[in-house]
Structure formats: C-alpha cells, structure tokens
Amino acid sequence: MNLVAMMSMDGVAWRGFGYTILILHFVFVCHFLLLQPLVSASDAETGNAAELFERASQSIKLKRYSDALDDLNAAIEADPFLSEAYIRRASILRQLCRYDESEKSYKKFLELKPGHMTADKELSQLHQAQNALDTALTLLDSGDYAKSLEYVDKVVLVFSPACSEAKLLRVKLLLAVKDYSAVISEAGYILKEDENNLEALLLRGRAYYYLADHDVATKHYQKGLRLDPEHSQLKKAYFGLKNLLKKTKNADDNASKGKLRVSVEDYRAALALDPDHLAHNVHLHLGLCKVLVKLGRGKDAITSCNEALNINGELLEALVQRGEAKLIVEDWEGAVEDLKSAAEKSPQDMSIREALMKAEKALKMSKRRDWYKILGVSKTASVSEIKRAYKKLALQWHPDKNVDNREEAEAKFRDIAAAYEVLGDDDKRARYDRGEDIEDMGMGGGGGGNPFSGGGQQFSFHFDGGFPGGGFDGGFPGGFQFHF
C-alpha cells in the first residue's frame, strides 16, 4: 500500500475518533443540563418538608393548631415518607377530638414505623377519649350530669385538651349541676379563643341569669343575637328574661299601689315562668307572702314564706312575714318562735320587737279562758246579747235541772257565772279585751271549795225580767235573786 493511501486511511480514523469524542461530550452536557435540575428539585423538596415541619412545631407551641395542620399536610405532600409529620398530625387531631382523621394518621405512621410504642399508646388513648365522649353524651341525655361531667374531666379533656366540643359539653354540664360561677369562668376561656362563639355566649348568659345578674345576662344574649338574629335558643332566653322582668315589675307596682289581688296573680304568673330560677324567685315568693298577709290569707302566706325560706333560710323579712301570717291563723306559739328568731338576728329592729310583743301577748291571751266562747257570743256582742245568753245558759245548766249529770252542770254553771262576771261589767270587759290580767275577776271557776256545797265563792245570778211560770220548774218571779 502506497504512502498516499495510508495517509488517507489515518485521516478517516482520526475524524471518526473526533466525532466519537464530540458525541460523548454532547451526551455529558445534556446529562448535566437535564438531570441536575431534577436532583436540585429533590433536594429542595426535602429541605422544604423539613422547614414546614419545623414551622408546624412552632405553631403547636403557640397552640395555633390550624396553622400547624396546614404545614404538616404540606410537609407530608412534599415528603410522603416523613414519619414524624404523621404522628405529629395525629396527635393534634386527637387533641382536637377529630378522632377518625387522627386514627388514619396514626395508622399511616405505624405503617412506616411498625411497633412504635408511643404511637400505639397514643392510639389507645384516642380510643379511650372517643368512647368516653360518646358515653358522656349518652349520660347527658339521660340526665346523669355528674357522671357525664366525670367522663369529660377525667378522660376526654385529659387526652383531648383542645377539644371544643368537650369544652362546651363541660360548660353545659356545669350549668346543669348549677355551678354557675364555674360556667362563667369556663365559658369565658372559650370566648377568649373565639369571642363570637354563640353557644358559649348563650351558656355564660344563662349562668348570669340564674345568679339573677339580669343586666349582664341580657348583654350576652344581645351580642349573640347581633351575630345571629335568628338563633332560636338565644331568642328564647332573651325574650323569656324580658317577660319575667315585665311580670315582676307589674307585680311589685300593683302591690305598692294597693291592688293586692291583682298583684297576687302577677306574682304567681311570674313564678310560673321559670320555677328553677331560685335566685329571683325567692323575692317573688317573699313579695307574694307580704301581699297575702295584708289580705289576711294566713295559710297561703305561710306557704309562700316557706318557699322563700327554703331557698334562703337567712331571709329575715320572710321570717317576720311568716310570723305575722301565723298570727292570722292563730298559731300563737309558731308566731312567737319565728318573731323571736327574727329579733335575735336583728336586735336593733324595733318593728320586729313590737311584732314579737304582740305575738307573745296573743299567746298569753290564747291560754286564758275564752269568756265569749263560754257564753256563745261574738266579741262584738252587745250588753243585751250577753245578758240574754247568760240567762239562757244559767237556766239550761242549773244543777237542780241536771241531776243526772250534776258535776258537769256545776262546772258549766260556774263557768257561765264567771264569764258574765267579766263580760257583764263594762270596765272588766274592756280590760279583758285589752289582754290585761283579770283572771281572778269572777274567779272563772277558781276559788276554794265547791260553790254548790257551801263555803266557796258566791255567784249572784240576776234575772231582771224573771222566767215565766212559777217555782223553779215553772220559772222565777220577776226580779228574783238567788245565791250559792
């Protein structure tokens, strides 16, 4: 082969080698240009997921759970294998009592980390909290408020402390067990987190209502109705309170104007609106009792005052009014007992002391012989009526006309004489009516010995007009006077 041919072949070889180097260089450049962005993107996504997870951690510390969940969801989307994001998300959802979502997140974490003890424990706590919440709601419906509250406090809010549903349920239960101060406090915490929470406004307003702080209750109802004018429970509470205050004012106004019977009906209508509103009803019962005392309806007045004292046993005015009512029904000892107790509680109140003195006098008089009753006449009987009754009874019970029951007749005859001795004398009768001690006047069957057997007190019986007929069986002659 000549030199020219050889040189021609070497040139072709060198050109082929050059083309090969050029192609390899092109492939390398393409590889670098195309793959490098993909690698960079992967690195960026990994870094972004870590950044989102860290930001979520900071939000959790600040209890900004909604922001934390958004960042954790984004972190999981950026890195589906970021196991810590799953368990952190599951924990937040459990605390918020979003139990179904929480359980899915725990299970996803356990797929990535099988047998993880913390996750297994928290998943068990989730199930406990979920079951406890269901049980608490069932107990609420059945009326077992104390037991329901125990489940909420000791289980649900332990494992789900950020659960709004459980917090509101707790406030409802506190209201049901009448712990109104706790309702105000707990509902206040909810309103700090969400000032427009309608249910918290309603519950807090109800607590103030049952404490008879009606102005503050009204403000809570009004704020809720500004947010939702058609909220049925807020409307019912607000207009119910307005109606109660209106009826109460009507009752008080009519009582002060002397429209006592109308006032009685107003008080009873107000009491019927909400029998559970004890802090307000105690004053309605007292107002009703006072009106009934003025009307002389002692028995009804005692019932109303008892209702007031059952609510507040230290209510002095109710004790005084009940004492006055007992005087009306002639429960003298009961009246003295109530008024003495009231006087001990308020020793400087002269009006109470005067009422007590009146009751003590009435008690003392109740133990005296009732001369009016013995003669069978009223306390307003005229002198002639008293004289006629005396004559009739003296004849009826004269011992000589009652030989078969002489002892009984002597006792009654003696009482009749004593009664007439007092009531037949204007001065003695006036002193008797005033409650003065005149028991010895006329002796009232007292004195020594049997007046019918000699040696005892003498009773004179005067029959001015005499009895018709002659002799004892036939009557006495006019002006006849006899003595024993």
Side-chain angles (χ1 to χ4, degrees):
M1 186 179 295
N2 57 31
L3 181 60
V4 176
M6 290 178 63
M7 290 178 67
S8 177
M9 291 178 63
D10 287 340
V12 172
W14 280 105
R15 281 196 298 275
F17 179 73
Y19 287 139
T20 300
I21 295 298
L22 182 62
I23 291 170
L24 288 172
H25 182 70
F26 176 77
V27 170
F28 176 76
V29 170
C30 289
H31 176 77
F32 179 79
L33 293 174
L34 294 174
L35 294 182
Q36 183 60 33
L38 296 176
V39 173
S40 298
S42 178
D43 291 342
E45 288 177 0
T46 302
N48 189 40
E51 181 182 334
L52 288 166
F53 182 81
E54 179 59 30
R55 192 167 71 183
S57 299
Q58 296 302 317
S59 294
I60 291 171
K61 290 179 182 179
L62 299 172
K63 296 185 178 181
R64 290 160 45 187
Y65 297 122
S66 181
D67 292 341
L69 286 173
D70 289 342
D71 286 337
L72 288 171
N73 289 334
I76 290 170
E77 187 176 349
D79 183 2
F81 297 98
L82 186 60
S83 60
E84 287 301 316
Y86 286 103
I87 193 169
R88 189 66 61 84
R89 181 175 70 177
S91 177
I92 294 173
L93 291 169
R94 172 176 55 81
Q95 292 188 56
L96 294 170
C97 64
R98 291 163 60 177
Y99 295 125
D100 292 340
E101 298 172 74
S102 178
E103 184 172 11
K104 290 178 183 177
S105 199
Y106 275 122
K107 288 181 177 179
K108 183 63 179 179
F109 173 81
L110 288 169
E111 288 178 9
L112 299 172
K113 300 281 186 178
H116 193 281
M117 293 181 63
T118 300
D120 283 334
K121 180 180 178 181
E122 291 186 8
L123 185 57
S124 174
Q125 292 172 346
L126 180 153
H127 292 144
Q128 291 179 58
Q130 188 173 28
N131 291 334
L133 181 58
D134 291 341
T135 302
L137 291 169
T138 300
L139 289 169
L140 170 65
D141 292 337
S142 69
D144 193 345
Y145 306 125
K147 193 68 175 178
S148 179
L149 187 59
E150 188 175 346
Y151 273 93
V152 173
D153 282 341
K154 294 185 177 180
V155 184
V156 182
L157 288 174
V158 172
F159 299 136
S160 302
C163 179
S164 296
E165 181 183 357
K167 289 178 181 178
L168 282 170
L169 174 58
R170 184 171 190 273
V171 176
K172 283 182 184 178
L173 292 166
L174 289 169
L175 186 66
V177 298
K178 301 180 181 179
D179 190 347
Y180 303 126
S181 296
V183 171
I184 290 169
S185 177
E186 295 299 318
Y189 292 136
I190 295 173
L191 290 168
K192 283 182 180 179
E193 296 175 3
D194 178 11
E195 65 177 359
N196 296 329
N197 189 306
L198 295 177
E199 193 163 3
L201 285 168
L202 173 65
L203 293 170
R204 201 163 192 250
R206 295 291 286 176
Y208 279 114
Y209 165 82
Y210 281 119
L211 289 173
D213 194 343
H214 295 142
D215 289 340
V216 179
T218 299
K219 290 177 182 177
H220 279 72
Y221 298 153
Q222 288 175 333
K223 181 177 180 180
L225 289 171
R226 283 195 295 269
L227 295 168
D228 182 3
E230 297 305 318
H231 192 285
S232 61
Q233 289 182 297
L234 281 166
K235 285 173 68 176
K236 181 179 179 180
Y238 175 67
F239 289 110
L241 175 52
K242 285 189 67 176
N243 191 30
L244 175 64
L245 295 178
K246 180 181 178 181
K247 287 191 179 298
T248 299
K249 187 176 185 302
N250 288 342
D252 292 340
D253 288 347
N254 284 322
S256 65
K257 293 175 183 176
K259 299 179 179 179
L260 302 182
R261 288 180 175 78
V262 176
S263 179
V264 167
E265 297 307 314
D266 288 337
Y267 277 122
R268 286 178 171 164
L271 283 165
L273 291 176
D274 189 352
D276 295 326
H277 192 357
L278 302 184
H280 182 70
N281 289 351
V282 64
H283 302 294
L284 294 175
H285 284 301
L286 176 59
L288 179 56
C289 176
K290 291 166 69 175
V291 172
L292 290 168
V293 167
K294 290 178 181 178
L295 287 169
R297 294 166 57 179
K299 185 177 179 180
D300 291 337
I302 290 171
T303 299
S304 292
C305 275
N306 283 340
E307 292 288 352
L309 289 165
N310 287 339
I311 299 171
N312 181 3
E314 299 301 314
L315 193 58
L316 183 64
E317 194 172 2
L319 195 61
V320 173
Q321 290 296 318
R322 188 173 70 178
E324 296 283 4
K326 288 180 178 179
L327 286 175
I328 296 172
V329 298
E330 300 184 355
D331 178 6
W332 318 118
E333 291 182 355
V336 169
E337 182 182 356
D338 280 349
L339 292 167
K340 184 177 290 186
S341 178
E344 290 171 355
K345 293 176 186 294
S346 182
Q348 306 303 318
D349 193 322
M350 295 307 298
S351 64
I352 295 177
R353 298 203 63 82
E354 289 174 4
L356 174 59
M357 290 172 63
K358 182 176 73 172
E360 289 174 335
K361 181 178 178 180
L363 174 61
K364 183 176 180 180
M365 290 179 67
S366 71
K367 294 180 179 179
R368 303 183 310 168
R369 304 297 300 278
D370 189 339
W371 303 129
Y372 289 103
K373 186 174 181 180
I374 289 171
L375 290 183
V377 295
S378 71
K379 292 181 180 181
T380 59
S382 65
V383 173
S384 59
E385 287 175 324
I386 290 172
K387 188 175 293 186
R388 280 197 301 272
Y390 161 62
K391 288 180 179 180
K392 177 181 177 182
L393 291 170
L395 179 61
Q396 178 184 346
W397 289 103
H398 193 286
D400 290 346
K401 295 195 68 173
N402 292 274
V403 293
D404 293 334
N405 58 333
R406 188 175 184 86
E407 288 187 7
E408 180 188 1
E410 288 178 356
K412 286 189 177 293
F413 199 70
R414 187 166 54 242
D415 288 344
I416 293 164
Y420 186 70
E421 194 75 20
V422 174
L423 301 183
D425 183 289
D426 290 341
D427 180 60
K428 291 179 181 179
R429 180 182 180 184
R431 290 169 61 193
Y432 173 79
D433 288 344
R434 290 195 298 269
E436 294 182 18
D437 291 327
I438 55 171
E439 292 298 320
D440 289 338
M441 294 182 180
M443 297 303 290
N450 186 336
F452 301 105
S453 58
Q457 173 70 32
Q458 288 193 347
F459 295 87
S460 297
F461 298 88
H462 305 274
F463 300 92
D464 296 336
F467 292 96
F472 184 82
D473 293 331
F476 301 107
F480 183 82
Q481 185 179 67
F482 60 91
H483 306 276
F484 294 96

